[in-house]
Amino acid sequence: MKWKAVYMVNPHRGDIMEKIKADFLLLNAGQLVTVAGNSDHPKRGKELNEIGVIADGAVAARDGVIVAVGTTDELQKRVELTNGTVCVDACGKVVLPGLVDPHTHVVFAGSREHELEMKIKGVPYLDILAAGGGILDTVRSTRAASREQLVQVARKYLDQMLAQGTTTAEAKSGYGLTVEDEVKTLEAIRELNNSHPVDLVPTFLGAHAIPEEYKENPDGFVDLVIEEMLPAVKEKGLAEFCDIFCEQGVFSVEQSRRILLKAKEMGFKLKIHADEMVPLGGAELAAELGATSADHLMVVSERGIEMLAASSTVAVLLPATTFCVMGERYAPARKMIEKGVAVALSTDFNPGSSPVNSLQIVMGIACRQLKMTPAEVISAVTINAAHAIGRADSVGSIEVGKKADLVIFDARDYRYLMYRFGTNLVERVVKSGRLVIGG
Ligand code: NIG
Ligand code: FE
C-alpha cells in the first residue's frame, strides 16, 4: 500500500478510527458506478448486469491510485485531507470508471471520406480493398508520413477520446506493412503513451492487409511478418500484443495460425480480427490459441460461440463498424451473453470501417442494435474491456489499488448515457487522480 494510515482516537466513541490520507477526493456522486469485483476474471452472463452502484458515492485517491471508495458520508469521516487535496463535487451526477477502448487503429495518416459514396452505392468493403483502396489507401498516406506527423495527427484524436471519457485505449499498427513503417507507427504509439494522458496498450498488426508489392506473393509477405517484422518489434520492445486480419481475401486461417503461433512463441499476447465479413473460423482459432481477445465476430459460427464461451478469450464487439460499413448483420451479442461468452465493446476507431472514436456512440448503438442492457454495456466498456487488453489489474473499475481514472457525466441515472445519443455528456475526466477535462 502506498498511502500512510494515521490512527486517531474518536473522542465520542473512544475506539480507534483509521484515517486515510488523500490528495484527491470526489464527493456527492448521485450514482457511483464502481463495476467492482471482477478484476480476476471478465464478467459473463448475469454478472454483466451487476455494476455495483453506490448512491451518494465518493472516491479518494493518493498519488494517482484509489485509496478509499464508499458513500460521501463514510469518506468524509475516514479521509484525512492535506493542504493540497483536490476536492471535486460531482453534484449528484453519474460517475463511471474511466472508459476503456480495447480496439483502435488510432495512428494513421489521411482520411477516406471518398469511400462514403461507394458504400452508399453498395460497393462491399472487401471489394474496395481488393481494388487497391480501403486499408491500402491509408497505407500509402501512412508510409508517406513521418513519425512526428503521425504523432501530431493521433494526438488530436486522443484529445477527442479523452474529452469523451476514454482514459485507456489499445492502439494498433497496421498501416505501414514494411518493417520500417510498422516500427515507425509503434514508435509513434510509444511517444504518445509517454506524453498524452490516455494510457495506450500497443499492438503489432503487421498482418493487416497484403501490400501492393506482395500482391502476387502473399505467402512471401507472411514470411516477412514472421522473419523480419516480429523480431524487430520484439527486439525494440514496441508491442505487447500481436493481431491479424483473418478474412477472406486477406489472411487465411492457416496463414493466421502461422503468424500467431510464432508471435506466441516469442512472448506476444494475441488478438484476432475474426469473422467480420465471412465466417472463416477466426473465433475458433482465437479460442484454440488462447488469444486474449477475438474482435468483430459479426458472422461468428455456433461452434465459434461455444468455443469462446469455454475459453478465457474476450469477445470484443464493434457495432459502430457494422453501422459505418452499413452491414446487415450485427454481432449476435445476446446469444453470446446467453451462452456465457465474456463480451466487451470498442470503437474500432480507424479511417475506413469506423471513423468513430466516441465510446458513448458505441454504447448507444450497442443498446439499440446488439440489444444489450445499459448495465451490460457499462461492464463491456469498463472491466471487460480492461480484460481484453490485459489491464484489469489496474483499470476498468473503481476499487482500492486501481488507477484513479473517473468520468463525471451530465446525467443522474446511468441509463441516461445510452438513452441520449450523439451528444457528449462528459463533464469532467480524472486521470490518475488529476482533473484533465473540465477543471
Ligand atoms: O477493424 N478489418 C480490418 N481492419 C479495420 C479496418 C481498417 C480500415 O478500413 O482502415 C477494422 O475494421
Ligand atoms: Fe480493427
Side-chain angles (χ1 to χ4, degrees), residues 117-139:
E117 278 135 339
M118 293 190 233
K119 285 177 189 154
I120 292 167
K121 284 187 191 134
V123 183
Y125 178 84
L126 290 175
D127 289 6
I128 300 175
L129 177 61
I135 295 173
L136 295 177
D137 187 315
T138 304
V139 167

Side-chain angles (χ1 to χ4, degrees), residues 106-158:
V106 66
V107 178
F108 59 87
S111 60
R112 309 221 300 265
E113 57 273 24
H114 54 273
E115 285 177 8
L116 190 54
E117 278 135 339
M118 293 190 233
K119 285 177 189 154
I120 292 167
K121 284 187 191 134
V123 183
Y125 178 84
L126 290 175
D127 289 6
I128 300 175
L129 177 61
I135 295 173
L136 295 177
D137 187 315
T138 304
V139 167
R140 286 187 286 276
S141 35
T142 304
R143 283 180 178 178
S146 66
R147 191 186 75 191
E148 291 69 29
Q149 286 167 328
L150 292 179
V151 167
Q152 196 186 2
V153 175
R155 191 181 298 285
K156 193 177 72 183
Y157 296 133
L158 290 175

Side-chain angles (χ1 to χ4, degrees), residues 3-8 17-21 78 80:
W3 67 91
K4 214 167 125 194
V6 177
Y7 293 92
M8 292 177 61
M17 239 176 59
E18 187 185 337
K19 278 265 187 186
I20 298 167
K21 279 198 173 174
R78 280 183 58 207
E80 184 187 314

Side-chain angles (χ1 to χ4, degrees), residues 215-384:
K215 211 171 164 186
E216 305 306 324
N217 179 19
D219 280 321
F221 184 67
V222 174
D223 293 341
L224 179 76
V225 172
I226 291 177
E227 287 160 20
E228 295 187 38
M229 290 190 192
L230 276 170
V233 172
K234 181 75 193 168
E235 193 207 87
K236 293 176 190 293
L238 286 169
E240 202 172 310
F241 287 90
C242 176
D243 193 351
I244 187 158
F245 188 14
C246 177
E247 183 58 71
Q248 187 164 292
V250 193
F251 295 95
S252 67
V253 171
E254 261 331 297
Q255 289 170 327
S256 303
R257 186 182 277 111
R258 263 188 75 202
I259 291 177
L260 293 173
L261 276 174
K262 184 67 193 175
K264 189 173 177 177
E265 195 187 297
M266 293 172 77
F268 290 93
K269 290 183 274 181
L270 309 181
K271 292 181 165 284
I272 309 185
H273 280 66
D275 304 320
E276 181 179 354
M277 322 274 172
V278 181
L280 289 190
E284 291 88 325
L285 182 64
E288 173 198 320
L289 298 179
T292 305
S293 74
D295 305 40
H296 283 292
L297 305 166
M298 268 111 94
V299 294
V300 62
S301 70
E302 295 285 335
R303 184 160 172 270
I305 295 178
E306 303 282 349
M307 286 182 70
L308 287 177
S311 75
S312 60
T313 304
V314 178
V316 177
L317 309 184
L318 309 158
T321 308
T322 318
F323 180 77
C324 291
V325 300
M326 305 176 208
E328 273 154 27
R329 256 173 87 173
Y330 283 81
R334 279 266 55 94
K335 190 187 271 180
M336 289 185 191
I337 292 170
E338 271 143 34
K339 296 268 182 186
V341 177
V343 165
L345 287 163
S346 180
T347 59
D348 191 18
F349 177 54
N350 71 74
S353 67
S354 180
V356 173
N357 61 9
S358 163
L359 273 172
Q360 289 173 78
I361 298 264
V362 171
M363 290 159 75
I365 303 179
C367 283
R368 290 166 180 87
Q369 297 290 352
L370 302 186
K371 313 294 177 201
M372 290 172 69
T373 66
E376 288 172 339
V377 166
I378 287 178
S379 296
V381 293
T382 55
I383 192 67
N384 276 17

